[in-house]
Amino acid sequence: MSNLSVDHLGMIYELPNGGSVEALKDVSFDLESGRILTLLGPSGCGKTTLLNIIAGFLAPTSGSINLNDAPITGPGQDRGMVFQQGALFEWLNVADNVSFGPRMNGNEGPETDAMVQDLLETVGLGDFGQKAVYELSGGMQQRVALARCLANDPELILMDEPLGALDALTREKMQSLILELWDRTQKTIVLVTHSVEEALFLGDRLFVMAPRPGRIEREYELPFAKLGLTEDPRELKNSPEFTEKREEILSLIWEMEEQIMGHEGA
Amino acid sequence: MLFIIWLLSEALGIADPTFFPGPIETIQGGWELATDGFQRVTLAEHVFASLRRILIGFGIGVVVGVPVGLAMGLNNTLRAIFDPLIELFRPVPPLAFIPLLILWFGIGETPAVVMLFFAAFFIMVIAARAGVTGVRLSKVHAAYSLGASKQQILRNVILPNALPEIFVGMRVAIGVCWGTLVAAELVGAQTGLGAMIWTARTFFRNELVVFGIIIIGVIGVILDLIMRKAEERFIPWRGRG
């Protein structure tokens, strides 16, 4: 069954000086339920714009976008969002952050509490429910953000550079956690990242996007996310198949960057 | 250190006590003020009169200013309506309103309280507005994705998010109010620390003037300390978003 369907999507921003920027041009793809798609590309390639359109925060200027054959017209709880950082509510403790979604929908009580505790244990924060979020490290805060998103049981999880602000070691652990959650919940995930390695490792589908106009430059179907569930991530990332793909994508992105520089020089 | 120099200047007779009273004389004057009072009004009564004015004026300023500021932060039409007014009156020292306020309300408590209201009001409007417009977009987006309605986001995200700014505004406002109040009492009041200083001056009781200045300073510091403690107590997350 087709889950997310994006058809000839275009997004043009009008600039205050009268000009305009084509952030997305003619983007089309279908994403089946249960897949994990990573979006990679240089700044200005429209990957965050695409994510925001799927989330419903932005309306596209052309084309259509459907989730389970229903058009996306605004934000909704069928699509959960995890941001880079700073999107937790620091005036609430960890448990109240996670229960935010259910509480906004009028679901309070022992059942919600039990579910929240369950989720906290899933992300490895079972003992941290009563802690203030600002007392936690960056990695733990992102665990809270994941749990908060899962509390609403969304169909689609959108992640905007969720690990971008973390140190390398924490980042690796969190990558494995994301794969684990993906496997356990069978959710569809769209993840934006700047890191080629992360995009390769987490995406069982990967789009390399290009700027001016923002578009999908190349698509990959990848085995690493599934393999990462059972195999050692370090070894996997050092395997010839992985490094070969990494070099290929890196040189692709290098070419794009050079084209951009040439453009600006002219 | 400063106190020792001050003490020495009195003991050695360096400073002319008529122009600059020494510490012993000042403490004696303060004691007399605290026990017998000056012109039949005691220190406690002066302090109480000043504090009462500030609490009423500042209190109303906060209660009215915060909603106006929040509304301006949330609604472009309201911002367009109120912004020119706020920007016009904000730089005016609150004391400049006093002649008009006396004309409207007569001499008494009302003009001072209304003036303090003005002083606090503009500061609180700007603080609350900044608190609203300073909300991180990702927080609002996260709340929308979690199924919150506009109303719920206002109550559960935007308002708590603005609290630190509002508290900073309150701290600034109470400091400005205190300084303004004492100045206002110099002009048109029978009681209050400012009035006390002014009356003492006309009777050449300069030790009471110095004592009054010290008390005004001490109370100013205490007010700020209270606000800071309240801030730690009620918004422990401030600056850690």
Side-chain angles (χ1 to χ4, degrees), chain A residues 50-67:
Chain A
L50 178 57
L51 203 69
N52 281 331
I53 291 174
I54 302 173
F57 302 140
L58 285 174
T61 43
S62 62
S64 67
I65 176 161
N66 292 283
L67 183 63

Side-chain angles (χ1 to χ4, degrees), chain B residues 43 47 51 54-55 170-171 174-175 178 193 213-231:
Chain B
L43 175 67
V47 170
L51 283 180
I54 200 174
L55 285 183
M170 283 168 74
R171 244 180 90 186
I174 208 160
W178 184 240
L193 289 165
I213 290 171
I214 293 171
I215 290 291
I216 288 164
V218 168
I219 292 179
V221 170
I222 292 174
L223 286 176
D224 194 59
L225 214 66
I226 293 172
M227 290 308 295
R228 242 191 280 184
K229 286 285 164 210
E231 202 174 78

Side-chain angles (χ1 to χ4, degrees), chain B:
Chain B
M1 182 64 192
L2 213 59
F3 185 78
I4 291 169
I5 295 173
W6 190 26
L7 200 65
L8 282 175
S9 76
E10 185 180 39
L12 302 174
I14 299 168
D16 182 344
T18 321
F19 292 104
F20 197 71
I24 296 168
E25 198 187 349
T26 302
I27 291 166
Q28 280 169 346
W31 178 253
E32 183 197 325
L33 185 65
T35 49
D36 300 339
F38 170 60
Q39 303 245 310
R40 292 187 304 279
V41 186
T42 64
L43 175 67
E45 284 169 312
H46 282 304
V47 170
F48 178 75
S50 290
L51 283 180
R52 207 179 76 97
R53 285 174 195 140
I54 200 174
L55 285 183
I56 297 174
F58 166 78
I60 301 175
V62 171
V63 168
V64 179
V66 169
V68 171
L70 292 176
M72 283 175 70
L74 292 168
N75 186 304
N76 286 331
T77 318
L78 287 175
R79 178 158 49 224
I81 295 171
F82 283 107
D83 210 38
L85 286 174
I86 300 280
E87 289 305 322
L88 178 64
F89 288 112
R90 189 173 62 101
V92 178
L95 276 173
F97 292 109
I98 275 282
L100 269 185
L101 294 176
I102 290 178
L103 190 67
W104 294 343
F105 300 108
I107 292 182
E109 289 299 290
T110 324
V113 169
V114 174
M115 183 202 64
L116 291 181
F117 162 75
F118 276 139
F121 173 77
F122 292 118
I123 295 171
M124 292 317 297
V125 167
I126 288 161
R129 187 179 66 180
V132 170
T133 50
V135 66
R136 222 186 249 258
L137 196 59
S138 59
K139 283 190 172 52
V140 175
H141 278 174
Y144 268 123
S145 288
L146 290 165
S149 66
K150 268 195 174 156
Q151 277 286 312
Q152 286 175 322
I153 288 175
L154 180 61
R155 260 201 56 182
N156 296 291
V157 180
I158 291 179
L159 207 57
N161 190 76
L163 276 182
E165 291 273 6
I166 291 174
F167 253 80
V168 170
M170 283 168 74
R171 244 180 90 186
V172 173
I174 208 160
V176 169
C177 279
W178 184 240
T180 309
L181 170 67
V182 173
E185 286 170 346
L186 293 176
V187 191
Q190 312 302 314
T191 56
L193 289 165
M196 193 274 288
I197 287 181
W198 205 245
T199 326
R201 183 205 76 119
T202 56
F203 287 88
F204 289 105
R205 296 291 301 275
N206 286 340
E207 81 279 9
L208 290 183
V209 174
V210 172
F211 183 75
I213 290 171
I214 293 171
I215 290 291
I216 288 164
V218 168
I219 292 179
V221 170
I222 292 174
L223 286 176
D224 194 59
L225 214 66
I226 293 172
M227 290 308 295
R228 242 191 280 184
K229 286 285 164 210
E231 202 174 78
E232 280 168 31
R233 170 85 178 71
F234 294 114
I235 10 179
W237 70 85
R238 178 173 139 64
R240 305 201 229 180

Side-chain angles (χ1 to χ4, degrees), chain A residues 124-159:
Chain A
L125 293 175
D127 295 331
F128 290 85
Q130 299 310 310
K131 281 257 192 278
V133 288
Y134 53 79
E135 291 176 299
L136 304 185
S137 68
M140 287 159 104
Q141 289 185 359
Q142 289 311 80
R143 288 168 190 263
V144 178
L146 286 170
R148 181 176 72 176
C149 167
L150 288 170
N152 261 16
D153 197 25
E155 289 204 28
L156 184 60
I157 300 178
L158 306 167
M159 303 191 185

Side-chain angles (χ1 to χ4, degrees), chain A:
Chain A
M1 174 192 116
S2 173
N3 191 332
L4 179 70
S5 165
V6 175
D7 196 28
H8 299 289
L9 207 63
M11 181 77 201
I12 295 172
Y13 289 112
E14 303 289 339
L15 297 178
N17 64 15
S20 62
V21 171
E22 204 163 11
L24 287 177
K25 186 183 182 185
D26 203 22
V27 170
S28 296
F29 65 90
D30 283 310
L31 186 65
E32 306 82 19
S33 188
R35 300 297 298 270
I36 179 164
L37 166 69
T38 49
L39 302 177
L40 181 70
S43 329
C45 70
K47 52 193 191 301
T48 297
T49 299
L50 178 57
L51 203 69
N52 281 331
I53 291 174
I54 302 173
F57 302 140
L58 285 174
T61 43
S62 62
S64 67
I65 176 161
N66 292 283
L67 183 63
N68 295 332
D69 301 322
I72 289 173
T73 53
Q77 42 186 312
D78 50 350
R79 284 150 289 140
M81 189 100 183
V82 178
F83 295 87
Q84 184 170 33
Q85 62 176 158
L88 292 177
F89 308 128
E90 57 267 18
W91 49 91
L92 301 177
N93 67 23
V94 168
D96 287 345
N97 262 280
V98 177
S99 66
F100 187 87
R103 283 190 288 120
M104 292 302 109
N105 294 310
N107 296 325
E108 256 173 293
E111 273 171 53
T112 302
D113 295 346
M115 181 200 59
V116 166
Q117 185 56 33
D118 201 44
L119 279 170
L120 285 176
E121 270 155 32
T122 308
V123 298
L125 293 175
D127 295 331
F128 290 85
Q130 299 310 310
K131 281 257 192 278
V133 288
Y134 53 79
E135 291 176 299
L136 304 185
S137 68
M140 287 159 104
Q141 289 185 359
Q142 289 311 80
R143 288 168 190 263
V144 178
L146 286 170
R148 181 176 72 176
C149 167
L150 288 170
N152 261 16
D153 197 25
E155 289 204 28
L156 184 60
I157 300 178
L158 306 167
M159 303 191 185
D160 192 2
E161 299 197 39
L163 314 180
L166 305 179
D167 63 90
L169 205 70
T170 313
R171 197 169 177 149
E172 285 198 358
K173 278 190 207 158
M174 292 294 289
Q175 288 173 353
S176 297
L177 176 67
I178 287 176
L179 286 185
E180 210 183 291
L181 292 176
W182 173 59
D183 184 51
R184 188 193 293 217
T185 61
Q186 302 286 311
K187 302 277 181 209
T188 317
I189 298 176
V190 180
L191 185 145
V192 165
T193 177
H194 263 117
S195 154
V196 176
E197 196 179 83
E198 190 165 285
L200 279 170
F201 182 58
L202 294 184
D204 77 334
R205 270 181 93 182
L206 163 65
F207 293 168
V208 180
M209 295 182 69
R212 301 179 188 205
R215 63 194 185 274
I216 298 169
E217 178 76 13
R218 203 173 290 179
E219 290 192 41
Y220 291 92
E221 294 272 341
L222 298 164
F224 308 114
K226 284 210 178 66
L227 294 173
L229 289 168
T230 48
E231 287 178 29
D232 179 71
R234 290 264 170 78
E235 276 174 31
L236 197 61
K237 286 176 184 171
N238 285 324
S239 69
E241 296 84 3
F242 194 96
T243 49
E244 187 193 317
K245 281 276 186 312
R246 191 180 62 203
E247 290 313 307
E248 184 185 323
I249 292 174
L250 273 173
S251 51
L252 185 67
I253 290 178
W254 263 111
E255 268 170 44
M256 284 181 208
E257 299 271 10
E258 265 174 15
Q259 271 176 6
I260 297 170
M261 302 299 257
H263 247 280
E264 247 141 43

